[in-house]
Amino acid sequence: MTTWVFCEEQNGNASPSALELLTKARGWGDVQVFYVGAGSDTAFTQLGDHGSSAVHHLDVGDRLPAAAAAAALAGLVGESDIVLFGMSSTDRDVAGRLSARTGCPVLANAVEIDPSGEEVLVTNEILGGTTRVVTAATAGPVIVVARPKAFPAEQNGGGAPGVTAVPTPDVGHPGGASVLERHVEESEGPDLEAAAIVIGGGRGMGGAAEKWEPVANLASLLGGAVGATRAVVDAGWVPYSLQIGQTGKTVKPDVYIACGVSGAMQHLVGMKDSSLIIAINKDPEAPIFSVSDLGIVGDVHKVMPALNAALENR
Amino acid sequence: MQAKKKPVDTKTCADLGVSPTAQQVIRSVEPVPARQAGEIVEDEGEGYLKIIEKLEEAKVI
Ligand SMILES: Cc1cc2nc3c(=O)[nH]c(=O)nc-3n(C[C@H](O)[C@H](O)[C@H](O)COP(=O)(O)OP(=O)(O)OC[C@H]3O[C@@H](n4cnc5c(N)ncnc54)[C@H](O)[C@@H]3O)c2cc1C
């Protein structure tokens, strides 16, 4: 059995999901990476340091990689193998195409993967994270798409892996689509998905600019990142890239402070696994309190300025 | 109404030359243990101190 981890290069680095999945899978036996991108020594070393012995590198230049990646991957994987993907659009695109090519199902949204028994067991959460379903694949290769942050990424000092170039297969028409432009998300402070502290602002903040300021101030005082609910993003107070939840980002910081957030299921699935959750909401019945370690029933525009002033004076 | 008059042609999987077999089988379905709700405090002007206390406990400040 070989485990394959899919990795799409991101700004010269390995994707965070690949490092998480390598950490999870390296104890199972042989783990190899299928890598898509221009290629960088930094990224390859990151992969080696997280337990990959070998990297298969496909570079399709400016073309969209999924069709070629799936075709090449289908030629490499065997029936007893496991193929792990993250949730980026390229990851999911390749997983779906690989499923079509191999006739094997995709087990999606995984939060746990266990190949130790006779069958590979994959756990996912349904109904807004309230119910866990364990599914076994009965045909291989077993293709799994894992949720971001389901597993922590930890180095084990493996060093530089061997890199083999994979020739670009001819996939005809679907291989013709190409990337015209790339936009890099600009943000100040720590990266939302990696930050140890996240301040999540909701509609209860009451507006953009000065009404939102306490959220940004608290984040900068604690060295954390700013996140938001969909209501806030839809209202245009902050950019879409800050949205946390089902249709936004998944965060798992040490501390999450929810400010004027009601705690809708679609928001909770993106942050409920934070280690410590603190909420400020004027409604004592707000669902956010049911997942909070500390809940302050009060007005964000009274509690937060007092909190920020106290932190400033420390 | 027009739609009701349209012929419905029923085909079996065999007619189409496919034999569907389940390639994934559910082994268990269980509720996720709910996260315990913690302490809820009404803010009387001092609520922020509770937050500071928690942040100190968590050693982030
Ligand atoms: C398919 C689908 C996908 C979705 N995906 C997401 C997603 O990814 N992320 C997401 O966040 N949402 C998502 N949503 C939306 C979600 O259902 C909620 O509508 C949204 O999360 C609510 O945002 P909110 O908590 O900011 O606003 P509200 O629900 O309006 O809550 C505002 C809260 O602020 C409190 N409040 C008001 N004034 C004050 C004050 N002065 N001081 C203190 N508290 C105050 C209120 O008591 C209330 O609890 C999705 C919905 C659907 C249908």
Side-chain angles (χ1 to χ4, degrees), chain A residues 58-244:
Chain A
L58 176 71
D59 181 5
V60 295
D62 274 342
R63 281 189 283 155
L64 278 186
L73 199 46
L76 290 169
V77 299
E79 277 180 19
S80 57
D81 292 354
I82 302 176
V83 196
L84 304 177
F85 292 89
M87 294 240 295
S88 83
S89 52
T90 303
D91 282 67
R92 286 178 294 165
D93 196 353
V94 177
R97 291 170 186 274
L98 182 64
S99 169
R101 283 184 175 271
T102 57
C104 293
V106 177
L107 302 179
N109 240 343
V111 294
E112 186 53 83
I113 308 161
D114 177 10
S116 63
E118 277 187 9
E119 34 184 34
V120 178
L121 296 176
V122 174
T123 306
N124 67 354
E125 291 185 350
I126 60 166
L127 302 174
T130 57
T131 306
R132 288 189 147 220
V133 180
V134 178
T135 306
T138 57
V142 179
I143 305 167
V144 181
V145 174
R147 280 194 60 84
K149 309 239 164 50
F151 316 110
E154 281 155 19
Q155 300 194 358
N156 71 342
V163 180
T164 318
V166 177
T168 305
D170 181 7
V171 287
H173 192 59
S178 62
V179 179
L180 297 181
E181 246 181 284
R182 283 176 201 275
H183 295 275
V184 177
E185 254 172 43
E186 309 246 342
S187 64
E188 291 166 31
D191 175 39
L192 176 56
E193 286 169 290
I197 300 176
V198 174
I199 315 301
R203 184 149 51 192
M205 293 311 300
E210 71 272 22
K211 293 211 160 155
W212 184 258
E213 219 170 73
V215 173
N217 284 349
L218 181 55
S220 86
L221 284 164
L222 294 175
V226 172
T229 64
R230 176 153 158 186
V232 163
V233 169
D234 283 348
W237 301 350
V238 298
Y240 169 71
S241 57
L242 299 192
Q243 184 182 320
I244 293 170

Side-chain angles (χ1 to χ4, degrees), chain A residues 103 105 107 119 129-138 222 272 274-275 290-297 303 306 314, chain B residues 22-32 35 37-43 47-48 50-52 54 56 58 61:
Chain A
L107 302 179
E119 34 184 34
T130 57
T131 306
R132 288 189 147 220
V133 180
V134 178
T135 306
T138 57
L222 294 175
K272 72 181 169 62
S274 307
S275 311
S290 67
V291 299
S292 300
D293 300 285
L294 172 65
I296 305 293
V297 181
V303 179
R314 285 170 76 92
Chain B
Q23 292 183 319
Q24 44 182 313
V25 185
I26 291 179
R27 293 287 178 230
S28 71
V29 179
E30 315 235 336
V32 175
R35 198 181 166 115
E39 190 188 357
I40 310 281
V41 186
E42 192 84 38
D43 177 46
Y48 75 96
K50 277 282 184 195
I51 299 180
I52 298 228
K54 260 291 186 245
E56 280 173 342
I61 52 172

Side-chain angles (χ1 to χ4, degrees), chain A residues 14-68:
Chain A
S15 63
S17 64
L19 303 182
E20 293 164 12
L21 292 168
L22 277 171
T23 307
K24 176 69 184 171
R26 67 189 177 214
W28 304 344
D30 182 35
V31 190
Q32 314 215 356
V33 169
F34 188 89
Y35 184 96
V36 171
S40 90
D41 287 338
T42 313
F44 295 151
T45 306
Q46 290 165 341
L47 294 167
D49 280 341
H50 285 78
S52 168
S53 59
V55 173
H56 302 258
H57 175 206
L58 176 71
D59 181 5
V60 295
D62 274 342
R63 281 189 283 155
L64 278 186

Side-chain angles (χ1 to χ4, degrees), chain B residues 3-9:
Chain B
K4 285 196 166 173
K5 293 190 197 124
K6 292 288 175 194
V8 176
D9 185 10

